[in-house]
Structures are given as C-alpha cells and as structure tokens.
Amino acid sequence: MGLSVKDRGEAVATLRHVHVELMEMLAQWTPSAPEMEVKLLFGEHIWNVAQHADALGKRAHELRLPPQHSLPPVEPYAKLLAQVRAERDTARRLAAFYDALLPGLAKRYRDYLARTDALMDAPTVRILEQMLDIESRMVAQSKTLRSEIPALAKAERAWVDALVEQERRVGNLVATAGS
Amino acid sequence: MAAPDPADTTVIRGVTVRKGPAREACFTVVEENSQLSFNADPAYAKGKDMSERMRRNRVHTHMHNEMQSIEIAAQCIADFPDATWELRLELARQCWDESRHARMLLNRLREMGGDKGEFPVMHFEWNITCMVDSLAARLAIQNRTFEGGEMDVLKVHADLWRDEGDQVTAELLEGILSDEVQHVRFANRWLKRLAKDDPRTLLHVAQGIAFMKRVTAAYAPLEGQVNASGAEISETSHPSPTNVDDRRLAEFSEKEIADLLRRDGFGALVS
C-alpha cells in the first residue's frame, strides 16, 4: 500500500516550498557573487528550480490542495536553508548548495519513490524522476565549474561534511507528518 | 519591498542609486560615459567604428549588459517574494535566457581574442532599476524601456556585423533579439494586468519612469566632454531607429510605436 492522498499532497507541497526557497537563494546570490561564471550558472539553475517548484505546485493542486500551494518544511530544515542562504563566500555557497542541499534532496526523492504507488501516483513519480535527472546535472555542472576555477572549490571539507550531516539528521521534511 | 537599505545605495552625480552588483577584479566599473571608450577610430563613420578593438568592445558591452540583466531579474525575484507566481516564473526564465546570452557573448569575445574585463563597464541599468521599490516600475524601466531600447539596438547592430561580413556575430545578436522580444512582451502583458488589478500600479510606474529620466539626465555627458578613447561623447551618441516589427511582437500599441517614430523624426509617416 502506498502513501495516502494527504501524505502525497503534503510531501509535494513541502518540496514546492523548498524549491521556491532554492530559487530565491540563487536569485539573492546572483548579484552578490563576484564571479561571472557563477552568475551564469545560477542564472540557468534559477530557472531549473523554478520549473520544479511550478510542476510540484500544479501537482499539489491535483492532490486536493490549492494551486501552487506550499507547506513550510520542519523547523530544522527551515533553519538549515536560512543558514545556507546567509552564507557570503562563493565557494561555500557552491558547496552548500551542490554538495549538501541537492544531494540530500535527491535521497529524499528516492525515498518517496520507494514508498509511493508508482501507478496511482505516477504524475508525482514522473516529476520527481525528472527532478532527479536535472538536479544531478546541476550538481555535475557545478563540479565542472569548480574544476575549471579551483578558487571556487576551496570550501573547507570539514565544514561541508558537517553541513551534509546536519541535512541528513533532519529526517522527514514534512512538518505535519504523523499529525 | 521597502526602499533599499542606505548601505546598498551610492550617490552618482548627486543622485542616490542602488550600489552596483559584485564584480570580479578584472572588471573596471566606471560611473560616467566619459570613462568608457567608444567610436574613437576616425576612419569610420559615426556609430560604425568596426575596428578590431571596437568589435571586441561592442561584444564586451553586450556581454556585460546581459550579465547585468540576469542580476536585475534575479534581484526582482529576491526583492519581491509576494509577487504572483506566474510573474516570478517569467523572471526566472529571463535569468536563464540572459545567462545563455552572456555565455554566448563571452565565448564569442574569446574567439575574437578578447576576454571579460578588457573594457570598462557601467552599472547604469542596475543603478536605476534596482533602486525603485515597485516590481511594476522595475518591469517598466528594465524590460519595457531598457530592453525595449535594446531591441532597437540589436537590430541595427546585427545588420552592422553582417555588413562587415561577420555572419556569426550577426546571427548571435539576432538570436538574442528574439529572446528579448519575449522579455519585453511579458512585461507589457503584466503591466496591463497589474494596472487593471490595482490602479495604483500606474502611479508607481510613473514615479519609476520619472526617476529613470532624472538619473539619465544627471548621467548625461556634458557638452564637449570626451570619452576614454578621446572621441567627443556627443559624436558617439547615435540612437537606433525604432524596431517597429519587434516592438509589435512585444505588444507595444500602435500609438506607442507611432510616438517612437515621431521621436525618430518620422512624424509625417504616422500622423
């Protein structure tokens, strides 16, 4: 047995909220990052995550929620997003976004895909599979850029590892889960 | 949004504007036209300097303008979290378009032997647009006015490059032009919709346009002032004629187009 309509709607609306925040984060960083190539990377990725937010918002409506409905994630994840957004150093921003946040989300999509009914919830499955594909490409693009401009790869390993661990410890992102 | 934090503003020629976005050390950011270098080669007609250096300068200027356009669209997303989702989506798409444009122009510049930072740059559009605290006014200034003007410029410049035998750069500029039409069109559509939903929008737009005109006047070169290349700035100023076809595609009204044609000196054709 897969997830209920309510469970699915809440998960989708929460992921939508997260993607709107990711879009705003990249948008805020674009003018304040000095490096031209980083601005160009962010410009493309703003559109990618905006499209994901849009697809999730449409799907939330199909799951009995208002159009483009968002649900804030659990407090620890909201704090993590705010913490990352406040980061000022470009190398740390890149590491936080592409080495911690996106890979962490990819694990959550896979977890959702493992739990949902692939036929009943096929529209969500398709959206998440597309997001996995595009967001893994975004991570690859960031790695290429950081190999081309080594100064952008100078975030301290221990700091990144701690962020990855902080993200992992959050667990389920849905604030209403279990209620 | 509230007005920009005073720490994010700067004063240029007596006018308070938004402080420029971050730039790498390779870029020299200047505040006046006199510190730019345009049209210095006397062997070319006014506005048609296509010497090797000027070719790179032209591509560099387009590239920097596109980068600035990414930053302005992105800043609008960041500054107006409560804007309608569909409008934010348009701005997000614009970020991608402008980043592709800047990337293509950077690649072209490097093919021509140049690189980013080779010529001084200005933050004129950012300084003005990101100072105003209304998204409608920003759309009116950046998309409808600056990008609308860019449609006129790109058409002229594509022809200029083609006449000089550079089909690659000409086609690149034409590709960019078709994307810019959409950026102007969505702004026109949204301005109409926002004004219909809330008539105060028109007041915000009028205030924004008045601010833009005030800053433009303050930034205008003084009589006899020369630029960094030694050319008199008034001699380098050559407004592009109105790109009527693309302005129609971008959904300017026939009256607005007629007004622009009158400005260009073709009043007898439209009266």
Side-chain angles (χ1 to χ4, degrees):
Chain A
M1 171 124 179
L3 302 166
S4 69
V5 171
K6 181 173 179 289
D7 290 340
R8 289 186 273 139
E10 287 172 351
V12 167
T14 303
L15 285 176
R16 181 191 186 270
H17 183 105
V18 169
H19 277 77
V20 171
E21 288 224 22
L22 296 182
M23 175 188 78
E24 290 173 349
M25 191 182 293
L26 293 176
Q28 183 183 311
W29 287 351
T30 299
S32 59
E35 301 84 0
M36 179 174 179
E37 285 78 1
V38 173
K39 292 175 191 286
L40 305 191
L41 184 81
F42 288 167
E44 177 181 350
H45 293 181
I46 287 168
W47 174 233
N48 289 348
V49 293
Q51 283 180 292
H52 296 170
D54 190 57
L56 291 164
K58 286 173 176 154
R59 180 60 183 149
H61 190 39
E62 294 169 355
L63 294 167
R64 296 188 173 170
L65 292 169
Q68 298 297 341
H69 187 67
S70 282
L71 286 173
V74 290
E75 186 73 13
Y77 197 79
K79 280 186 180 167
L80 173 69
L81 289 176
Q83 176 190 331
V84 170
R85 187 169 175 166
E87 190 53 62
R88 299 187 68 82
D89 176 72
T90 305
R92 279 190 168 202
R93 285 174 171 179
L94 291 170
F97 197 92
Y98 297 102
D99 299 343
L101 294 182
L102 288 189
L105 283 170
K107 279 183 197 151
R108 293 166 202 282
Y109 307 155
R110 290 195 189 94
D111 177 57
Y112 181 97
L113 292 170
R115 289 188 297 128
T116 200
D117 183 309
L119 190 56
M120 172 74 79
D121 196 21
T124 311
V125 169
R126 189 167 291 196
I127 290 167
L128 292 182
E129 285 176 346
Q130 287 171 348
M131 286 168 55
L132 273 171
D133 178 40
I134 289 172
E135 291 177 12
S136 69
R137 209 179 311 158
M138 289 164 63
V139 170
Q141 284 176 303
S142 83
K143 284 183 176 159
T144 302
L145 180 63
R146 285 180 280 176
S147 68
E148 288 168 355
I149 306 175
L152 297 175
K154 287 194 171 161
E156 309 85 336
R157 192 66 252 169
W159 179 83
V160 181
D161 289 345
L163 208 59
V164 169
E165 177 58 18
Q166 184 182 345
E167 199 277 350
R168 191 192 61 77
R169 279 201 314 266
V170 171
N172 192 341
L173 297 188
V174 179
T176 55
S179 61
Chain B
M1 69 164 283
D5 188 306
D8 291 332
T9 66
T10 186
V11 178
I12 299 177
R13 286 195 174 184
V15 186
T16 302
V17 294
R18 185 92 170 232
K19 199 181 279 179
R23 284 289 173 272
E24 290 166 285
C26 65
F27 284 101
T28 303
V29 180
V30 300
E31 294 184 342
E32 295 192 12
N33 276 306
S34 62
Q35 295 163 305
L36 297 174
S37 51
F38 284 109
N39 297 328
D41 193 333
Y44 292 87
K46 180 178 173 183
K48 296 195 173 178
D49 182 345
M50 290 295 274
S51 56
E52 288 300 315
R53 180 176 157 76
M54 191 58 198
R55 285 178 190 233
R56 295 199 306 277
N57 195 342
R58 287 179 186 279
V59 173
H60 191 276
T61 301
H62 283 304
M63 177 200 78
H64 187 263
N65 283 346
E66 298 294 339
M67 181 161 72
Q68 203 176 177
S69 296
I70 309 169
E71 295 168 318
I72 292 170
Q75 193 64 47
C76 287
I77 291 172
D79 283 347
F80 299 96
D82 297 328
T84 308
W85 173 247
E86 288 75 15
L87 176 51
R88 304 188 88 196
L89 207 51
E90 299 269 23
L91 290 164
R93 169 58 193 256
Q94 187 180 352
C95 289
W96 181 40
D97 291 343
E98 309 293 14
S99 68
R100 289 185 296 109
H101 300 166
R103 166 66 64 193
M104 291 186 291
L105 288 160
L106 176 59
N107 291 347
R108 185 72 188 127
L109 181 62
R110 285 175 172 159
E111 285 167 6
M112 297 167 82
D115 209 344
K116 61 181 179 178
E118 186 179 1
F119 301 96
V121 295
M122 282 180 75
H123 289 146
F124 179 72
E125 296 178 3
W126 166 280
N127 291 151
I128 296 173
T129 308
C130 293
M131 187 66 194
V132 301
D133 57 6
S134 146
L135 180 54
R138 288 196 191 181
L139 292 175
I141 295 169
Q142 172 62 15
N143 292 56
R144 197 179 135 82
T145 306
F146 291 143
E147 300 225 1
E150 187 70 6
M151 291 193 315
D152 301 338
V153 170
L154 284 168
K155 178 150 190 351
V156 170
H157 282 208
D159 291 343
L160 189 61
W161 285 94
R162 187 169 290 107
D163 290 347
E164 289 291 321
D166 188 337
Q167 194 70 19
V168 173
T169 307
E171 287 186 5
L172 199 163
L173 296 183
E174 283 185 347
I176 291 172
L177 173 57
S178 68
D179 288 339
E180 302 299 357
V181 170
Q182 170 57 18
H183 303 158
V184 181
R185 181 164 49 207
F186 89 67
N188 274 332
R189 285 181 180 173
W190 274 97
L191 282 168
K192 282 178 196 156
R193 186 166 155 185
L194 293 170
K196 191 176 165 195
D197 292 348
D198 180 1
R200 284 175 303 177
T201 299
L202 295 173
L203 179 64
H204 297 147
V205 168
Q207 288 170 335
I209 295 295
F211 176 69
M212 178 190 75
K213 287 183 175 171
R214 191 156 59 88
V215 179
T216 303
Y219 278 39
L222 306 172
E223 195 174 333
Q225 198 171 17
V226 296
N227 69 18
S229 307
E232 193 164 321
I233 296 174
S234 61
E235 285 296 305
T236 68
S237 174
H238 39 86
S240 300
T242 301
N243 178 350
V244 174
D245 290 344
D246 287 328
R247 283 192 181 258
R248 280 201 180 109
L249 285 175
E251 298 183 2
F252 279 84
S253 70
E254 289 303 316
K255 181 182 179 306
E256 289 167 334
I257 292 170
D259 288 345
L260 290 166
L261 289 171
R262 279 190 203 93
R263 179 206 66 183
D264 296 344
F266 293 101
L269 297 179
V270 295
S271 57

